Each structure stands twice: as C-alpha cells, then as structure tokens.
Amino acid sequence: MSMLRFPNRIVSACLFVALAVTAPYPAFAWGDEGHKIIAVIAEHYLDPAARAKMAMLLSADTDALTGHDIASEATWADKYRDSDRDATKVRYEGTREWHFVDIELAQPNLASACFGHPPLPPRIPASKGPPRACVVDKIDQFAAELGNPATTASEQVLALKFLLHFVGDVHQPLHTADDHDAGGNKKLVAAGGLHAGNLHRYWDVEFVERLGTNPRQVAANLIGQISEKQRQEWSGGKSADWAMEAFALGRDNAYGLLPPPSAQSTYSLPPAYVDQAVRDVALQLSRAGVRLALVLNRALAASG
C-alpha cells in the first residue's frame, strides 16, 4: 500500500528501467521503414541490366516471409533471423551477429570486431557460413557469390536478399559503434514528442520516422537531394570503409552528443540532438542507397 504514495512519475520511471534492463537487446538496424527507403534509393540508381537481373532473381523467390519487390525483400534478413527465435533458434543464432560489427569506442579495432576476418570454409556457401562473422565480411562474401556465375540460382537469391539488408545495416551508426552497451540498446533515452526507449531504437526507428512514414516518398525526397557530386563521392570504398565511416558518426554524434544522464541513468535528448540525429539518419540512408546500387551493379554485371 505504501507504494501508492509514490509519485506516478517515479513509479513509471522505475517500471521503464526494470523493463529496459531485463529485456533482450536485439539489433534491428533501421527497422523495416529504413531498409525500404534504402532499397528504393538503390533501385533508382541501378543500371537497366542490373535491374532486370535483380527482378528475375526476386521473381524466383518462393519464400513467404516477405513480398518479392525490392523494398520488401530488403527487410527479409530480419524476418528470417527472427522466424525461429522462440523455437529452435537455428536461424536466429546462426545469423544474428551477421547484422552488425561492434567497434568499441575506447579501442576501435575493426579486425577484432570482425573476429579476425575468418574466411569461409571451403565449399561452404555464405548463407551457411559460421555464426561468428561481422556484417563487413558478410557483405563481401555475398557480393562475391552474387557476382560469381558458378553460384547456384538458389544461393544467388539468398545472396541478393542478404545484401539488400546488410548494406543498410553497416550504415546504421549504432550497428558499428559500441560503448559496451549493445550498440546503445542499454542506454535509456527520452525526448519531447517521442516514446521513451533505448538509444538504439531511436536511431533505428524514431529518427527515421521524423523523415516521414511513407518509405517511397521519403526515398523520393532523399533522391532529390543527392547531387551527382555526392553520388560519385559515395560510390567508392569498400564495406570496411563504410563501417568505419558509420563508426565515426556514431562516436561523434550518436554517443558524443549525448547529454549527461539523470540520476535514474536516463538520457533526456534535447531538440538539438534530435535535429542532428535526423540529419545524420537522412545522410546515412542516402549513402546506403547509393552504395547498395553500387554493390548490385557490380555483382549483377559480373554474374552474366
């Protein structure tokens, strides 16, 4: 009964902290909307031959987890990972770590975060590769498969679907930067006009939704702001370079601009933080779309 005399805000804060610290910390880069935006931007920059080859591969996909348009297929890797999460966990445990690379702020080392970059075992397709692999290496492996004419048709479809997702993942700053907090999942945050949650979700979902809630319209708006100079500048480098670029953004802005936490270990994000985060999200979605097109154009041209 004495608990009834506590102020409601204290009870609510305690419940929020209890739920947040006991919940698991899945890493869902960008959420469905962000991945769809990236895919639509990439589609805009695809060469005609690559677009036709991609459409042919996706039309052969019989998996019922998503629709078979490019935007829906960009969300497939998350759906696949979570499809047995409450049961056998074979897919979940087998692919969970492929979605990110935890580069620690205190000691940034990409090779360490990628488990030493172990190669795929001989004659093992990338979709059956070891669970301990980072998103950087999985992008390279699946791009190589997609571009190899000797890859089986079914594995090419899988390679394409994983690439549609993972190129987006590596551009999410909190899928690369980590402060020993599961990429921000353990940092509790609140901001005006947004539901309280964790820092990772804010970068995945909340800041993306500030751009709009229609992925195709948001993509069209972002495409209209990408200059030819930017497209050319972004159409370079490799997955490792893109990971370190996202890491720097996570270090400097996602983490670096956080205010001091409250006594309840919650970070109250000021409007300036939210505004900068929304700009950073728009930039990273745009870069990811251009670079996804780059990866697909190269691989699908090589595959014949």
Side-chain angles (χ1 to χ4, degrees), residues 51-63 67-70 73 157 160-161:
R51 183 180 290 108
K53 183 65 182 292
M54 181 191 69
M56 182 187 72
L57 289 171
L58 295 183
S59 69
D61 184 18
T62 59
D63 194 307
H68 302 309
D69 58 289
I70 186 174
E73 291 279 27
V157 171
L160 172 59
K161 294 198 295 183

Side-chain angles (χ1 to χ4, degrees), residues 11-40:
V11 175
S12 298
C14 291
L15 287 173
F16 170 63
V17 171
L19 287 172
V21 299
T22 57
Y25 300 111
F28 299 154
W30 299 128
D32 283 359
E33 183 183 352
H35 281 289
K36 289 179 178 180
I37 292 167
I38 292 166
V40 174

Side-chain angles (χ1 to χ4, degrees), residues 49-120:
R51 183 180 290 108
K53 183 65 182 292
M54 181 191 69
M56 182 187 72
L57 289 171
L58 295 183
S59 69
D61 184 18
T62 59
D63 194 307
L65 287 174
T66 67
H68 302 309
D69 58 289
I70 186 174
S72 297
E73 291 279 27
T75 71
W76 174 86
D78 278 346
K79 306 291 190 295
Y80 176 82
R81 176 197 58 201
D82 296 333
S83 60
D84 70 348
R85 188 174 177 183
D86 298 323
T88 64
K89 290 184 166 58
V90 172
R91 293 177 175 181
Y92 180 76
E93 296 296 344
T95 67
R96 182 183 67 85
E97 293 192 88
W98 297 0
H99 291 250
F100 57 89
V101 52
D102 280 343
I103 306 169
E104 296 298 338
L105 298 184
Q107 293 181 309
N109 186 309
L110 180 63
S112 176
C114 285
F115 315 107
H117 299 293
L120 274 175

Side-chain angles (χ1 to χ4, degrees), residues 10-295:
I10 295 178
V11 175
S12 298
C14 291
L15 287 173
F16 170 63
V17 171
L19 287 172
V21 299
T22 57
Y25 300 111
F28 299 154
W30 299 128
D32 283 359
E33 183 183 352
H35 281 289
K36 289 179 178 180
I37 292 167
I38 292 166
V40 174
I41 293 173
E43 187 176 36
H44 176 80
Y45 291 107
L46 285 179
D47 297 333
R51 183 180 290 108
K53 183 65 182 292
M54 181 191 69
M56 182 187 72
L57 289 171
L58 295 183
S59 69
D61 184 18
T62 59
D63 194 307
L65 287 174
T66 67
H68 302 309
D69 58 289
I70 186 174
S72 297
E73 291 279 27
T75 71
W76 174 86
D78 278 346
K79 306 291 190 295
Y80 176 82
R81 176 197 58 201
D82 296 333
S83 60
D84 70 348
R85 188 174 177 183
D86 298 323
T88 64
K89 290 184 166 58
V90 172
R91 293 177 175 181
Y92 180 76
E93 296 296 344
T95 67
R96 182 183 67 85
E97 293 192 88
W98 297 0
H99 291 250
F100 57 89
V101 52
D102 280 343
I103 306 169
E104 296 298 338
L105 298 184
Q107 293 181 309
N109 186 309
L110 180 63
S112 176
C114 285
F115 315 107
H117 299 293
L120 274 175
R123 295 180 295 281
I124 297 296
S127 64
K128 301 296 183 184
R132 286 179 68 78
C134 74
V135 67
V136 169
D137 291 341
K138 295 312 294 185
I139 289 172
D140 293 346
Q141 291 168 11
F142 284 120
E145 274 194 341
L146 187 60
N148 186 349
T151 302
T152 65
S154 60
E155 184 66 16
Q156 276 197 322
V157 171
L158 288 172
L160 172 59
K161 294 198 295 183
F162 276 117
L163 282 172
L164 288 173
H165 190 88
F166 288 163
V167 174
D169 278 352
V170 80
H171 284 82
Q172 210 277 44
L174 294 182
H175 265 235
T176 55
D178 185 66
D179 190 26
H180 299 289
D181 61 356
N185 272 291
K186 297 180 183 179
K187 278 188 169 56
L188 313 178
V189 297
L194 298 174
H195 295 293
N198 65 65
L199 184 64
H200 192 103
R201 175 177 169 80
Y202 268 42
W203 282 81
D204 271 355
V205 177
E206 304 292 352
F207 298 146
V208 176
E209 290 182 348
R210 286 294 181 99
L211 298 173
T213 56
N214 183 317
R216 288 199 170 272
Q217 184 58 57
V218 174
N221 292 342
L222 293 177
I223 290 168
Q225 298 172 40
I226 299 172
S227 69
E228 178 59 19
K229 181 181 178 182
Q230 286 175 316
R231 188 195 68 78
Q232 292 181 11
E233 289 176 349
W234 298 343
S235 296
K238 298 179 180 179
S239 58
D241 303 313
W242 307 336
M244 294 309 299
E245 177 185 71
F247 166 80
L249 196 64
R251 177 196 61 208
D252 296 343
N253 291 4
Y255 286 117
L257 298 180
L258 284 173
S262 69
Q264 291 77 37
S265 299
T266 298
Y267 296 82
S268 295
L269 306 181
Y273 182 100
V274 175
D275 291 344
Q276 183 61 53
V278 172
R279 289 192 293 271
D280 290 341
V281 162
L283 173 63
Q284 289 302 98
L285 294 174
S286 299
R287 284 171 168 168
V290 168
R291 289 165 177 166
L292 176 57
L294 173 72
V295 171

